[in-house]
Amino acid sequence: MKVTVLQENLARGLSIVSRAVSPRSTLPVLANIMIASDEGRLRLSATNLELGITCWIAARIEEEGSTTVPSRTFSDLVNTLPADQVKLSLDTATQTLNIRGGTSTNDVKCIDAQEFPPLPVPDLKGAVQLNVADFKEMIQQVAFAASTDEARPVLMGVLVQVEKDKLTMAAADGFRLSVRKAVLGSSYGSFNAIIPARALNELARIAHDGEETIAMVVPKGRGQVVFRVKDVELVSQLIDGTFPDYHQIIPRNYKSRTLVSTASLLKACKQAEIFAREGSNVARLNIKSANGDMQPGEVEISATSEETGKNETIVEATVDGSGVLIAFNVKFLREVLEVVKSPNVALETGAANSPGVVRPVGDDNFLHVIMPMHLG
Amino acid sequence: MGIFYQLHLKLPLLALHYNYSMSRIILHLDLDAFFCSVEEIQNPSLRGKPFAVGGKPNERGVVASCSYAARHLGIRSAMPTSRAIRLCANLIIVEPRHKLYSEVSKQVMEKLSGLTPLLEQISIDEAFLDISNISEPPARFALNLQADIKNDLHLPSSIGIASNKLVAKIATEVGKKSVHRSASKTIGAPFGLTIVPASEEAQFLAPLPADMLWGVGPKTFARLNELGIHTIGDIANWPQDEMIHLFGENGRELWRHAHGIDERPIVTERETKSISSETTFNVDIADERTLEKTLRELSKQVGNQLRKNDLAGKTIKLKIRWTDFTTLSRQVTLPSPVDQDDEIIKVALKLLRTVRKPNQAVRLIGVGVSGLGAPLRQLSLWDGRSERSRTLQDVIEVMQMKYGIKEDERRD
């Protein structure tokens, strides 16, 4: 193989695919990045067997071929080369890749491409077309609520449901639930898939151009999902299992509905978290309804730590219904407020031990349910 | 099965008192043969006789404390009772009464706290006092204190005084031993008093065996001996770099301690940091069901203590001692604090299954909960299972309190 590429293209490609490298695998080849000439371009791929990322970059191919290069060495090296041409030439017999850039020449020991697990070649016919900006926002609003606890694998994923022209994404870690809906540009058949939150987060990282579209396919019977955005393809294993029926945990009514400025409540939560994080992360919300015209409604957010001290912030609010004292894991509250896009947010609460619902005001496509913390 | 339970409350630093003046005066007080002294007050006929407070020999009991007459015969605390009886056939074994000892200990500590607020209790029968700001000369202060404790509470005590905690404690030990040696015909409490003047710390420590230093256990001591190091003075004479090279950070501390340097402050206030419960089996246990049953029992005790103190903990720790006395502990930190038996049991059993090979015999097993705080619980989205189990637990506790009903093995 003899290939010439631009240093910045190669560096960008490596930074994209290296996220799927599995450095501590028992299979040494998984710590490598596969490079191959592919119809006039250079293809870079990495996989940890659950997630695979492939990226094509512009190249001048003088001689076809492929190999796998140790990821760390390759990326570190390319990042230090001058922003100019980089020449890659492989000695097939010894599987040594010569990397030449500027006045530097390097020989890197590689592993034969035959040993690299084959990545599926997807058929993108009938793929769901998604707008990058919208889909990224959906991922951002949902994926953080997925669990990191390997004891319940299903909850480590995001439920993605397509029904005709409707797309719904939902994730829950047992304590909170995030649900986001969107309308698609055209109509598709119905399907459900539980996609690992990690894969979606990677996708959101890769897809940065808001004008682009993402193509999503779930090939039948393969237990995989494939995303294609511009020059990048991401393949992920789906999570096997049944996602819990989340509809029944979304409260149908509330005792009080509190309207606040999203930014003010977020700031108050961040302040409370400075104290709460030392302990059990709990912040108390004392929601007070208006008392006549003289005393408007407010939310008093407070947190106490044995070591650090205590904090209390008052946020003006319009409280519809009775007041309530309720405690939340302030990290959960902060994380949802960070992804609410509307200037005002509504917090719907029932009793102190019933779920609270966060809804952006004027946007019915997003909702988030948080279970409170039980106060003693 | 005569399982002997111990409940521990472990204590962290909370209030540190530094004295920034040139030199401190630290007094270490140790009640002589404390458990035995208390027993002698209760039963004067024991006075002067060889007796030991401890577990029964047939239940693998050990000597918790022994009278000076017994010590004279070579009996020591922590010795298996069976061996103690071999040394002295007519040794009287007194069953320990821990509640009584705690009460008497409390009286002593109250007396001490009346003298200075800079008091640090380090065990049931030992305490440090910072007496730097007391105008009375240290020797007279110490003698008065010993007399007061003897007259008012009928307890003998030994005292060591030095410029820091390390040397003061060693001074007490040295005092006890030397008094005993010189007056070997009288069999009684040593009433030691040893004062190490400031700047003479290293000189005082030099001739003492190296294992009298904190941090020198049998392993370190053996390694030191291999290097030809036998006394504390030998350690002090080694280059510090060499000690660090050989023993790591511990080496640095050893070297400093060997020079009589110890800057740890007196710690006055304490707060419960962990609650644990452990048991030593009468015979080594390899049966999985028995181990799991014991672990359930211990977890219940810990859960009970947590709820009684209105606490919950995030970190659950399993402690295991194998038959060869190697001890290990494994812990897991949960996302939210727990105070329910079931939750503690679940984690403890999981830890047991990961550390123990099939059929591996166990000598001691224990479970503890730390990272304590108010029992705030993150409620769960679906399944109110944990809530139901909580209600059930509350009901069981009320029933037990009301009717003394024993809870049967609850099935999962």
Side-chain angles (χ1 to χ4, degrees), chain B residues 349-388:
Chain B
L349 287 177
K350 207 170 153 190
L351 287 171
L352 176 68
R353 284 166 198 154
T354 52
V355 300
R356 185 175 160 271
K357 293 185 208 93
N359 302 320
Q360 194 170 9
V362 174
R363 183 183 162 84
L364 172 149
I365 195 164
V367 63
V369 174
S370 59
L372 300 180
L376 295 160
R377 292 186 326 279
Q378 172 65 57
L379 302 175
S380 168
L381 274 175
W382 30 75
D383 83 22
R385 206 185 304 147
S386 67
E387 280 312 295
R388 277 205 298 276

Side-chain angles (χ1 to χ4, degrees), chain A residues 152 172 174-176 244 249 279-280 282 329 332 353 371-376, chain B residues 271 310 314 335-337 350 374-383 387 390:
Chain A
R152 292 180 78 178
F175 309 119
R176 52 182 168 167
I249 52 177
S280 35
V282 64
N329 180 332
F332 292 174
N353 58 1
M371 281 308 286
M373 293 185 83
H374 185 82
L375 290 162
Chain B
E271 183 197 359
D310 204 20
K314 269 184 163 176
S336 59
K350 207 170 153 190
L376 295 160
R377 292 186 326 279
Q378 172 65 57
L379 302 175
S380 168
L381 274 175
W382 30 75
D383 83 22
E387 280 312 295
R390 175 167 299 274

